[in-house]
Amino acid sequence: MHVDDTGIRLAPGFSGSGDVLFDGRRVWSFSVDRASSEAPTVAWPKRMKRLLDGRVEVRIVAGAKEIYAGEHQFGTSTERLRLVDPQGTPIIVDKWGLFQRPFEARDPSVVHAMTDRAAEILRVMREDCGVEGWIAFGTLLGAARSGRAIGHDSDIDLCFLSTASTPAAMSADLWRIARALRRAGMRVTHASASFITVRFRGPDGAAAGIDIYITFFLDGLFYETATVRAPVPREALLPLREIEFEGRMLPAPADPAKLLEVSYGPNWKVPDPSFQHQPGPEVVDRFHGWFGSLMHGRRDWRHFNATAATSDAAPSDFAEWVCGQITPDTAVIEVGPGGGADLRRYAADGRQVLGLDYALPAALVRAAERMPSARVDPLNLYDRRDVLVRGARMSRRLGDRVLVAHRVLETLEPDGLEAFWLLASMGLRRGGRAYVGGVTRHRAAGHEWSQRHGAGRVYPFSPAAAEEQVRAAGGRVVERSGFEAAERARRGGPPAEWRMVVEWPERGSAAGEERA
């Protein structure tokens, strides 16, 4: 066997799962489906790879057998390698290749607090919405095995059964639950039209989350997110029963074993941290068509923003330029504040500042709470409902205001770009300006930048082509710079910064009437 900075080269004939431990702590699990006469190679997950810099003892365990042990130097750092989040909480890479904070590495008070919050969510669903929910997936798995949370798990999963007859009506059920939870003071994030997450701060100061999923029956099959489509009898689900989880009795399906078997297979009683759901396209494609996705790189950008929020980054030249164009009485709405360096600059002169982002880092949320004239709210440009509601609220706001966005447009897919200009047109139709800037890179350079910084995708954005969208949204570009350099960058030239100022004349003004 061999371990290096690219991955793990296993012995010929290896198959099954393995756990990777750094200095005695499990950080990742992998699996090899089929044995081969050739030595299989398992690459480090991309999110993990960018943190591999330092010395650490690597152990690889397959079942009860240690198959590798040795000190390894990753990268160039002479420090001990520690996989932790910005708050210092140990993290692992889960079966999806995502960073998680496992229960086994956190204080026991965390899972107890999450269990209490799950019970409160179930109460709100039942009393305010008339919906009965139950614990599901890894949470149900832990309850059925031992009555406790699984050590390598990191959240609590809940489900409810929708009896609606169409995906749109099912989604309406979920939105109704989300509104009730917000009224109860909870912070809710939509991942898709079939999946929401309640986020809060754990007792250890790190983030915690509880996921809520739609389930339903269709044509004799039971659907449980985009991972399960199976002939499950209703009697296996209803009526709900109670099961012990972390010292509390919580609702569960009538036959937990049946639900766990369709989710995890007949060997569900055997722990396997590397287990991955592998649904076929007949499940995944249906679910995506019915319920879509509101994630669009959100996890990568949340990680990128969390890192930026804990750095001492200075405000950008773009923010200084904007501040030179506006007065201290001008309210600023920033789309995509990222780590918050520019948001702090806008608020430094006492301006009222609102930061809107679909990947708000917890550090920025806490920082905004300490700023008297600034606040941050979630906004997902891929959720048209979210955009329309926010645009309507902005349109009712009186007084001088501007919309700013720096290094945002090049990160958006076409529907996100369309939504951005829709938001701007709604929010600035009483009169106002949008200050927009970014960096254009060609496709290969954008991919390299994203990989190096652990960020989401960036696209070869053309500010010149965006003018058509501006006009369609009722605005006009009144100032521009860097457009020609941006076009050269798209064709393979060096990265180029660009800026534009877009104006929406107040309705009823001479400019507005002339264009009408």
Side-chain angles (χ1 to χ4, degrees), residues 123-164:
R123 184 196 66 77
V124 171
M125 291 170 61
R126 181 177 60 255
E127 296 182 2
D128 294 4
C129 305
V131 173
E132 296 287 347
W134 63 87
I135 60 172
F137 297 115
T139 309
L140 181 61
L141 192 60
R145 283 178 180 166
S146 65
R148 302 180 63 84
I150 298 172
H152 60 260
D153 205 357
S154 58
D155 60 9
I156 287 181
D157 300 313
L158 305 176
C159 284
F160 72 95
L161 179 67
S162 175
T163 58

Side-chain angles (χ1 to χ4, degrees), residues 163-204:
T163 58
S165 58
T166 66
M170 294 174 193
S171 300
D173 288 343
L174 186 65
W175 254 267
R176 182 162 53 90
I177 291 171
R179 288 194 295 270
L181 294 173
R182 289 192 180 101
R183 287 195 299 270
M186 301 185 201
R187 179 183 167 204
V188 181
T189 300
H190 287 266
S192 76
S194 67
F195 162 30
I196 60 176
T197 299
V198 174
R199 300 188 181 279
F200 61 99
R201 187 68 34 199
D204 59 354

